[in-house]
Amino acid sequence: GQNIDQPTEMTATEGAIVQINCTYQTSGFNGLFWYQQHAGEAPTFLSYNVLDGLEEKGRFSSFLSRSKGYSYLLLKELQMKDSASYLCAVRSGGATNKLIFGTGTLLAVQP
Amino acid sequence: DSGVTQTPKHLITATGQRVTLRCSPRSGDLSVYWYQQSLDQGLQFLIQYYNGEERAKGNILERFSAQQFPDLHSELNLSSLELGDSALYFCASSVDQGTEAFFGQGTRLTVV
């Protein structure tokens, strides 16, 4: 089966750094993705990891450890507009390469 | 704008009815995915197509069906609608089965 776990909610302060964790158990693995979703809007792609290590993209970084089934998204210099849900998604690999999403972490950025 | 187009944006219909949601993927994308997102819920994977062929099924009800046409657009058909089918339905597309997927703006379905 497939299981992707993220904290339900987090709160952080404007200008600070926040780390959102994701753990996964899937029957196969072919990459991990992070998306941002504002309420009622479409998810937008943030980052992609397929090899172990850190990928940096501006204020956002994502880390992957395949042996531990673990990833995190790091958001630096938080802005109010970063208040949103952050979705961790895993491609299962194999013939189907399903893209399965976790339930998301709702981040509230406070002044 | 992701380049993925979904129509209609909003749909209100009665229980027992049937509706069709349409998705046009980004130019060049061969994979299309459908997801359902109920209020305060995560994205539930429904079904995936690649170049016209069904590749994976998720938690899709028997009352729901989909297809991808030769021009690569896709349709999701929902029949015998129930109140619980009210949700945002998202379509996403990707170049192939390994790259990131880009989402359309969704169709908000309300069943009354």
Side-chain angles (χ1 to χ4, degrees):
Chain A
Q2 323 235 37
N3 194 41
I4 301 173
D5 288 317
Q6 306 177 233
T8 304
E9 297 181 355
M10 296 183 73
T11 302
T13 305
E14 193 175 14
I17 299 173
V18 70
Q19 177 174 312
I20 302 174
N21 296 324
C22 170
T23 57
Y24 63 90
Q25 291 176 307
T26 56
S27 54
F29 180 82
N30 194 24
L32 187 141
F33 301 80
W34 284 95
Y35 284 80
Q36 180 192 62
Q37 185 180 27
H38 288 97
E41 298 183 8
T44 55
F45 169 73
L46 291 177
S47 70
Y48 167 61
N49 296 70
V50 67
L51 300 176
D52 290 354
L54 189 68
E55 294 285 339
E56 297 187 78
K57 202 189 255 190
R59 294 190 298 117
F60 293 6
S61 304
S62 57
F63 172 83
L64 175 67
S65 168
R66 289 173 296 171
S67 62
K68 295 181 180 176
Y70 168 69
S71 174
Y72 67 72
L73 180 69
L74 196 69
L75 291 75
K76 303 175 188 174
E77 300 169 15
L78 280 171
Q79 302 174 10
M80 298 298 291
K81 68 178 183 179
D82 297 328
S83 293
S85 281
Y86 290 86
L87 312 176
C88 173
V90 174
R91 276 207 185 273
S92 61
T96 63
N97 249 334
K98 286 184 189 179
L99 184 60
I100 303 299
F101 283 80
T103 52
T105 298
L106 182 60
L107 173 67
V109 179
Q110 297 179 339
Chain B
D1 183 4
S2 67
V4 180
T5 303
Q6 288 187 249
T7 56
K9 287 188 170 51
H10 301 276
L11 196 50
I12 301 175
T13 190
T15 54
Q17 294 298 304
R18 172 190 169 94
V19 297
T20 297
L21 313 184
R22 182 187 169 100
C23 170
S24 294
R26 294 188 318 160
S27 177
D29 283 1
L30 299 178
S31 276
V32 168
Y33 316 79
W34 286 98
Y35 292 87
Q36 179 193 57
Q37 188 173 43
S38 302
L39 193 63
D40 296 330
Q41 298 287 314
L43 284 165
Q44 297 296 317
F45 171 68
L46 295 178
I47 198 164
Q48 173 184 338
Y49 286 86
Y50 178 78
N51 203 20
E53 291 186 5
E54 181 185 304
R55 281 303 172 93
K57 263 188 175 179
N59 301 321
I60 188 166
L61 301 171
E62 286 191 12
R63 300 184 285 110
F64 296 1
S65 65
Q67 54 182 327
Q68 186 181 28
F69 294 87
D71 67 353
L72 301 178
H73 91 272
S74 179
E75 293 180 357
L76 179 67
N77 301 296
L78 316 175
S79 61
S80 304
L81 284 167
E82 302 174 0
L83 295 178
D85 298 327
S86 296
L88 259 174
Y89 290 83
F90 285 107
C91 167
S93 73
S94 62
V95 171
D96 57 29
Q97 297 183 96
T99 54
E100 66 268 27
F102 293 88
F103 282 77
Q105 290 303 306
T107 293
R108 182 173 294 281
L109 173 67
T110 303
V111 182
V112 297

